[in-house]
Amino acid sequence: MLNIILVGPPGSGKGTQAERMIQKYGFMSIALGALLRQQIAENGANKARIEEYINSGQLVPDDLSFQIVTELVQAKPSNASLLFDGFPRTIVQAIFLDDCLVSYHAKIDGVIFLDVPDVHLLKRLKHRATIEARPDDQDDHKIKARMHIYQQETLPILNYYQDQNKLYRVDGTEAIDEVTKAIETIIDRLKL
Ligand code: AMP
């Protein structure tokens, strides 16, 4: 059992790498952004509230995300390994996640940081906008809002995990396969 967090700015390739990690290692995925978009698509009870935040590039309120994460952690088979993609994104969420896992006798084993400088991100997100049609990729204003939140709220969690000796940095500007290899080296080492 190995619980991993994948963290990186919007457009850093988290989704692509998460898919590969799930394929190779059989992680159970907790991809909060995808789960929120699914609730919108399925007309879930909180659809209007989620849409308001997600479509403008803001973080959804913690009561919504905490509920989703708690339900999934609670439901996980005891031997399952979890892959958190896009959660936590703030220190408050990181502390919540640690507490939540402790209640289920689990912990975070490693945090993989996909490091991609800003100059690459805008280009990648504009490219993704033409493929996936995500409303939050569609204009510069929404993209900049997400980058700003990442810098203000998410970057501080790197220190939080560094202080716990759990942080691993990967150069996310490398080719996709190289990034995958670097991630696999980290996971294989953690599994030993
Ligand atoms: P992502 O698919 O990870 O790029 O996330 C897309 C959007 O989902 C974000 O811009 C937020 O609106 C929402 N979201 C994803 N993860 C979180 C989180 N940890 N906390 C709050 N909102 C989130």
Side-chain angles (χ1 to χ4, degrees):
M1 195 176 83
L2 197 68
N3 298 319
I4 300 285
I5 295 170
L6 200 51
V7 60
S12 56
K14 290 191 302 294
T16 306
Q17 296 300 334
E19 266 173 41
R20 292 179 170 203
M21 292 161 75
I22 291 160
Q23 282 276 326
K24 176 157 172 132
Y25 298 100
F27 281 107
M28 179 180 146
S29 161
I30 300 192
L32 196 69
L35 289 161
L36 291 165
R37 282 190 291 279
Q38 191 183 329
Q39 293 212 356
I40 295 174
E42 289 172 354
N43 281 314
N46 294 311
K47 174 183 167 153
R49 217 171 139 218
I50 295 171
E51 224 167 14
E52 180 191 334
Y53 290 94
I54 210 169
N55 287 353
S56 61
Q58 304 297 314
L59 296 183
V60 305
D62 283 344
D63 65 307
L64 291 171
S65 58
F66 289 4
Q67 189 188 342
I68 295 172
V69 170
T70 305
E71 280 171 11
L72 289 170
V73 170
Q74 213 167 17
K76 96 177 179 75
S78 60
N79 60 348
S81 292
L82 297 175
L83 177 63
F84 292 89
D85 163 7
F87 189 92
R89 272 176 144 109
T90 65
I91 293 272
V92 170
Q93 293 182 358
I95 293 168
F96 162 81
L97 182 58
D98 277 347
D99 290 348
C100 175
L101 289 172
V102 166
S103 339
Y104 296 96
H105 312 288
K107 64 173 170 44
I108 292 299
D109 298 289
V111 177
I112 299 176
F113 166 44
L114 283 185
D115 191 5
V116 181
D118 285 1
V119 282
H120 298 264
L121 298 173
L122 208 56
K123 213 165 60 187
R124 288 192 186 187
L125 288 169
K126 293 212 159 170
H127 177 65
R128 184 168 78 185
T130 64
I131 301 169
E132 291 183 22
R134 275 175 51 165
D136 56 346
D137 281 344
Q138 296 304 320
D139 69 58
D140 283 6
H141 184 69
K142 290 177 186 173
I143 291 175
K144 290 213 170 105
R146 281 153 67 214
M147 305 253 238
H148 181 73
I149 290 171
Y150 174 76
Q151 274 151 10
Q152 298 296 312
E153 308 268 357
T154 309
L155 277 179
I157 75 172
L158 300 182
N159 281 336
Y160 177 83
Y161 290 114
Q162 178 69 62
D163 289 346
Q164 299 182 20
N165 279 325
K166 290 181 179 169
L167 189 69
Y168 299 85
R169 179 192 167 275
V170 168
D171 181 353
T173 63
E174 296 281 342
I176 294 180
D177 288 346
E178 292 305 311
V179 175
T180 305
K181 258 191 240 163
I183 291 175
E184 289 176 358
T185 304
I186 295 165
I187 292 179
D188 291 340
R189 213 186 313 149
L190 284 170
K191 276 170 62 186
L192 292 176

